[in-house]
Amino acid sequence: MVEIKTGAALEAMREAGRVVAKALAAARAAAAVGVRLSELDEAARAVLAESGARSPFLGYQPSFAPVPFPAVICASVNDAVAHGIPGAYRLCDGDLVSIDCGAELGGWTGDAAISFTVGTPRPADLELIAVTQQALDAGIAAATTGHRIGDISHAISTVARKAACGMPADFGGHGIGRQMHEDPHVPNHGRPGRGFPLRRGLTLAIEPMLMAGGRNDYYTDPDGWTLRTTDGSRAAHIEHTIAVTGDGPRILTLP
């Protein structure tokens, strides 16, 4: 079931989105060589607590996961594509980090992700992050009334394939609102003109995950959560929650 949001609901989601943006900024500000990933999680937790928000990540357990997720952020480093558990790993010079975070505030949810480098960046990593951002921008630009989910998917995959990047086929964006994951699913690859029609008030989390090696396959760590590239290549993940409006797409997870 797809819920179309009213103006009041969109404003409430915008407030949740601001909390997400603030939590991501805090996690990024805490990231430095020698800092544990758990410290990034602590920084995001503090923002959620100060804002009176709840984490939709903490304790979340979808069907594929053997255990509930134990943190408020996903912290994925280098060859980790997504869902990395922030633990004792200490960041190293040149690491590529993706942080995913959500917030539930007043019964409404926001979800976003960022990718960045720590210390001295590798030029290839900066290019991968830039292409991932371009893919997200293209997907958001396609989220207009009269289009369909497939138009978003096609826009993302066109950018990714031109850059010879791979994408994990089983994962993509999703509807969002009262819950973090709602219908419809938003694949990162697809055919234009296909799928669920985009209507005013539809809210979506759009999240390209690009793998530099060009392959689409991945494997899951023994922790049951962390997704990694099979060839060891680097990955980036960038996401925004957006609303389809009569004036074009509105990003709800900006600061």
Side-chain angles (χ1 to χ4, degrees), residues 43-71:
R45 284 178 190 251
V47 170
L48 295 180
E50 292 166 4
S51 304
R54 186 190 73 85
S55 170
F57 286 24
L58 184 63
Y60 179 62
Q61 187 176 11
S63 59
F64 66 80
V67 295
F69 196 75

Side-chain angles (χ1 to χ4, degrees), residues 37-181:
L37 293 180
S38 60
E39 294 178 77
L40 276 57
D41 186 68
E42 290 166 6
R45 284 178 190 251
V47 170
L48 295 180
E50 292 166 4
S51 304
R54 186 190 73 85
S55 170
F57 286 24
L58 184 63
Y60 179 62
Q61 187 176 11
S63 59
F64 66 80
V67 295
F69 196 75
V72 305
I73 63 168
C74 297
S76 306
V77 181
N78 297 334
D79 64 330
V81 184
H83 302 165
I85 296 175
Y89 176 82
R90 291 184 181 272
L91 291 168
C92 299
D93 187 48
D95 276 348
L96 170 54
V97 184
S98 295
I99 304 294
D100 192 358
C101 185
E104 181 186 302
L105 183 69
W108 296 95
T109 307
D111 186 11
I114 57 174
S115 288
F116 56 91
T117 57
V118 174
T120 306
R122 298 184 183 184
D125 288 347
L126 296 180
E127 178 61 25
L128 177 62
I129 292 170
V131 170
T132 308
Q133 182 65 59
Q134 292 167 15
L136 175 62
D137 292 344
I140 292 173
T144 60
T145 55
H147 280 171
R148 292 176 175 267
I149 291 294
D151 294 297
I152 296 174
S153 306
H154 179 71
I156 291 170
S157 62
T158 296
V159 173
R161 299 310 182 199
K162 184 177 180 181
C165 291
M167 295 182 291
D170 300 333
F171 291 89
H174 48 88
I176 184 171
R178 299 180 192 275
Q179 304 293 327
M180 179 170 61
H181 290 136

